[in-house]
Amino acid sequence: MDDVSRFPATLAEETVLGLLLPFWQLVIGAFVLAVVLASVGRLVRRGPSRMTTALLVTALAIAGFTVVGVLLES
């Protein structure tokens, strides 16, 4: 086991980043959710002829991978 007294700055930095990591995941997830909702809203307003289904499927896949990643992390 390493002597933590030799690396106090590194240990403190890792601790702070460990605390911030879940916050940033929530921020990224919120942005992904906002984009998905905006694309769905635009699709509903303008109809499928103005927005391709591929964009919606891609956004949902990104959101799905994010959720799976968060669930598997814990």
Side-chain angles (χ1 to χ4, degrees), residues 43 48 51-59:
L43 181 62
M51 181 178 175
T52 63
T53 306
L55 182 60
L56 181 60
V57 170
T58 302

Side-chain angles (χ1 to χ4, degrees), residues 32-69:
V32 169
L33 182 62
V35 169
V36 169
L37 291 177
S39 65
V40 169
R42 185 174 177 184
L43 181 62
V44 169
R45 281 192 316 270
R46 293 188 171 187
S49 64
R50 300 282 259 159
M51 181 178 175
T52 63
T53 306
L55 182 60
L56 181 60
V57 170
T58 302
L60 289 174
I62 291 169
F65 284 129
T66 303
V67 169
V68 168

